[in-house]
Amino acid sequence: MAAKVYKNLIGGEWVESRFGQTFENQNPANTKDIVGIFPKSNKDDVNQAVEVAATAFERWRLTPAPRRGEIIYRCAQILQERKEDYARDMTREMGKVLKETRGDVQEAIDTAFYMAGEGRRLDGHTVPSELPNKFAMAVRVPLGVVGMITPWNFPMAIPSWKIFPAIISGNTCVIKPAEDTPLSTLNLVRALMDAGLPPGVVNIVHGYGPEAGAPLLEHPDVRAISFTGSSEVGRIIGQAAARNFKPCSLEMGGKNAIIVLNDANVDLAIDGALWGGFGTTGQRCTAASRVIVEKGVYNQFADKFVSRAKAMKVGAGIDEQNDMGPQINQQQIETTQKYVEIGKSEGAKLLTGGNRITAGGLGEGFFWEPTVFGDAHGKMRVAQEEIFGPVISLIPTDSLEQAVEISNGVAYGLSSAVYTRDVNKAFKAMRDLQTGITYINAPTIGAEVHLPFGGTKATGNGHREGGIGAIDFYTQWKAIYVDYSDRLQRAQIDTGE
Ligand code: ADP
């Protein structure tokens, strides 16, 4: 069967790239399966989409926010109806197991319902004026056209974190989805269009980063940029945005740790570390790639953890028997391979895994064994650098204080977790862990959409997605003074003295 051909969405029309170039979207579980053919766009396509979005902005910003919210609410309902189909599309293009892709669609549904409600809130504040018969308030206003560049690991959830808060606030947008997973973003936006979104409010331009993403940074009508992806690309984007005075939200890498203390429920911690480390095949910015275990329970933890990792079923995500799907592409699997070699040469003990899986009909996909290094220490590269694969390093530790120091001793600061039944230790950890998110007795993954999502240090540049932080990014404050005294009143001068 010929692969389906998909197009860009510009001004409500499905259009080819102006130069007619395309790229293939492959199934990472079987690269012979072509999910679709997508336009390989360039600067001209991006510029056209931005112009259309700038025109649409003039109407959309004047559409009452509660009306905007109703469209988003309908989109949530449509996504609920299509959840299973969209989850299956996502497993096919991205690889993660069905229960996770259902969760990814659910995250978009949750975000849509939450942001629909924001249409009747979007609150600012009123304050007293220092002058008589004068009214003062601060209101939120939209920015204009927002450019969005997104990664492949949450191909519907992450675009939803950006699109819904942006459009409820009155912005319009142009999104450049990851080239490995363009279909899920297209499905999300299709649901929005079917919900009645006016043409031009959300536009999609498919293609590769430097050709179809970078032009967003240079266009003068793009008023803000939201990026999720690697820290290397984030640096390029942040610098270009700064050069052009564009507000820019960067959400990047992580090297997250689960700390397991002697008094922890060890079995619970093992469940958490397996889910945190091997969920999404380790390809989450919140993945628990380090597990720091207090020495009193280290051997017990390591033995059980390794036998559970060995028992995991790896295979195509579409088969519900499997626990873990493939990695996204050849490059990602090569990175994993490289770090396994680095770990071995650094003296970490390979307890299980460490190889690509080709047997059992998996040779056409990017499958890697769940891999565990033992007796690692915090300064090893496998414990410092983001791998984005199913590789976990177990690090023995003497105390909570030392564990916190190891957890904090990396360039990133996204998520952290502590397993303990001691409330005093839990609170000290909550205070001292330098991450944007901390879990107690739960793994490093599992963010809910109405709380701030983001991290410290090289993970981000201070903005937050999720919750009200997203509205803060997609709006700017406008101060308004209304003088009803019928005379000239001069602030700071007519002080009444
Ligand atoms: P990941 O490997 O997690 O997807 P990347 O940072 O490589 O992370 O990619 C994230 C997004 O950034 C993708 O949509 C990609 O196409 C885009 N991208 C990559 N390089 C650039 C670039 N130079 N300019 C703009 N966007 C880019």
Side-chain angles (χ1 to χ4, degrees), residues 146-458:
V146 182
M148 299 169 178
I149 299 172
T150 53
W152 45 263
N153 60 343
F154 283 84
M156 188 175 286
I158 291 177
S160 83
W161 296 354
K162 299 183 192 305
I163 291 173
F164 292 134
I167 64 175
I168 193 64
S169 302
N171 303 286
T172 57
C173 47
V174 177
I175 183 163
K176 204 298 283 172
E179 52 271 34
D180 284 304
T181 56
L183 180 56
S184 297
T185 309
L186 189 145
N187 283 341
L188 173 71
V189 176
R190 198 197 300 274
L192 253 173
M193 298 308 288
D194 291 345
L197 192 76
V201 175
V202 177
N203 305 277
I204 313 177
V205 178
H206 294 286
Y208 295 128
E211 297 155 28
L216 286 168
L217 294 150
E218 305 302 332
H219 199 297
D221 284 344
V222 174
R223 300 281 188 235
I225 294 285
S226 180
F227 168 79
T228 302
S230 63
S231 295
E232 298 80 63
V233 175
R235 191 183 298 279
I236 298 171
I237 292 195
Q239 286 172 348
R243 208 169 47 239
N244 295 308
F245 305 121
K246 295 189 199 304
C248 176
S249 168
L250 301 174
E251 186 56 55
M252 302 172 288
K255 190 70 191 176
N256 316 287
I258 290 178
I259 296 172
V260 183
L261 298 181
N262 285 340
D263 69 286
N265 176 342
V266 172
D267 289 330
L268 179 71
I270 288 169
D271 283 342
L274 283 166
W275 174 227
F278 297 132
T280 323
T281 320
Q283 302 169 121
R284 292 187 181 218
C285 48
T286 53
S289 51
R290 301 181 292 161
V291 185
I292 307 169
V293 189
E294 217 175 355
K295 285 180 180 161
V297 289
Y298 180 83
N299 288 336
Q300 180 196 352
F301 182 96
D303 288 350
K304 278 195 187 175
F305 186 69
V306 166
S307 62
R308 291 279 302 276
K310 280 189 173 137
M312 283 181 73
K313 287 191 75 175
V314 182
I318 207 77
D319 178 349
E320 301 213 47
Q321 309 265 306
N322 291 326
D323 301 310
M324 193 175 93
Q327 293 215 255
I328 188 69
N329 57 28
Q330 179 66 23
Q331 189 192 337
Q332 211 60 48
I333 209 152
E334 283 171 12
T335 305
T336 300
Q337 183 162 26
K338 180 183 93 182
Y339 276 102
V340 168
E341 293 313 315
I342 290 172
K344 285 194 226 166
S345 70
E346 285 178 310
K349 208 157 120 197
L350 185 63
L351 300 178
T352 184
N355 300 295
R356 186 169 183 167
I357 310 173
T358 49
L362 301 185
E364 300 292 342
F366 304 111
F367 295 94
W368 194 268
E369 291 172 340
T371 299
V372 183
F373 279 114
D375 296 337
H377 64 73
K379 294 289 175 225
M380 287 178 172
R381 284 183 65 192
V382 281
Q384 285 283 322
E385 297 171 21
E386 187 174 50
I387 302 172
F388 235 57
V391 181
I392 297 176
S393 297
L394 305 184
I395 305 171
T397 189
D398 291 315
S399 63
L400 169 67
E401 289 69 26
Q402 193 185 57
V404 168
E405 201 179 308
I406 296 168
S407 178
N408 288 342
V410 292
Y412 302 103
L414 182 52
S415 184
S416 56
V418 183
Y419 282 80
T420 179
R421 285 183 278 207
D422 181 332
V423 70
N424 295 358
K425 290 186 172 171
F427 268 87
K428 281 184 187 146
M430 285 186 253
R431 183 192 60 197
D432 295 338
L433 286 165
Q434 295 164 355
T435 51
I437 308 167
T438 293
Y439 295 87
I440 304 298
N441 293 326
T444 52
I445 66 179
E448 299 180 28
V449 304
H450 52 302
L451 276 85
F453 183 93
T456 64
K457 301 189 273 184

